């Protein structure tokens, strides 16, 4: 590896918001009009996602996936917010083209991030993958505008809508019941109760026959 390679692989001038950070605020033009993120989707969760480019095949399948499953996001009190580094005219043309071809309508705002402002703010522009197109990012943002989960996918691999919905429901269920979610958790499965912090809690746990106990530190319950 020469010095140029090393520079290319380590340089990162973009902000990368992390889990637990408040979502950076911004104003943007979208297919549903102008938004200020701090005023967007009050008291709701937001799933904000980027795609590399309009009128491209993988992106068309992904956006159609968000559109056809929008009612499931609605049921989870969640607004969808798309983004790419394309103009509003390209967005409108693509939305209309997909509607004409397939009947699927992208009925959620898509940010026209032509100046890359939001992409850079959210670390969606990852220059060693592409200098001009956003990677496939997904930000799960709670009603307090805190980032709770982040996914980044490269240009050549589409995301999994089942996993996006599963992760969203897992976050919400974890918050509601103050529990953690095991491998592959899905709605209806048992959840993990937090480990005991005192000997009294440990003894209570050992005597609780309603729990499925693998060991004192790993116990599951129904909710
Ligand atoms: C696609 O969505 O198919 C795509 C977009 C940008 C680069 C590669 C693939």
């Amino acid at each position: 590896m020469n010095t140029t390679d090393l520079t290319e692989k380590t340089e990162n001038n973009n902000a990368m918001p992390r889990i637990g950070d408040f979502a950076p605020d911004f104003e943007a033009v979208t297919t549903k009009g102008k938004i200020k993120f701090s005023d967007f989707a009050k008291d709701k969760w937001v799933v904000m996602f980027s795609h590399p480019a309009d009128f491209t095949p993988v992106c068309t399948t992904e956006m159609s996936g968000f559109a056809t499953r929008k009612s499931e996001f609605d049921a989870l009190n969640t607004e969808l917010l798309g983004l790419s580094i394309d103009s509003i005219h390209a967005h409108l043309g693509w939305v209309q083209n997909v509607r004409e071809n397939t009947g699927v309508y992208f009925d959620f705002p898509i940010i026209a991030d032509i100046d890359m402002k939001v992409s850079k703010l959210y670390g969606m522009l990852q220059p060693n993958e592409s200098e001009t197109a956003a990677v496939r990012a997904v930000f799960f943002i709670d009603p307090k505008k805190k980032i709770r989960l982040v996914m980044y996918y490269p240009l050549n691999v589409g995301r999994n809508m089942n996993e996006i919905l599963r992760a969203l429901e897992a976050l919400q269920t974890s918050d509601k019941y103050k529990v953690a979610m095991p491998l592959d958790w899905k709605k209806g499965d048992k959840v993990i109760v937090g480990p005991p912090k005192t000997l009294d809690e440990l003894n209570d746990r050992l005597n609780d026959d309603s729990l499925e106990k693998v060991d004192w530190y790993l116990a599951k319950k129904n909710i």
Side-chain angles (χ1 to χ4, degrees), residues 52 56-59 136 155:
T56 53
V58 177
C59 298
R136 303 179 194 281
L155 267 52

Side-chain angles (χ1 to χ4, degrees), residues 19 21-22 26 39 43 57 68 84 87 93 115 143 151 161 188 207 210:
I19 293 172
D21 293 352
F22 282 103
F26 60 84
D39 295 333
D43 302 322
T68 54
S84 75
S87 69
D115 59 4
M151 297 174 174
M161 201 54 61
N207 292 327
S210 72

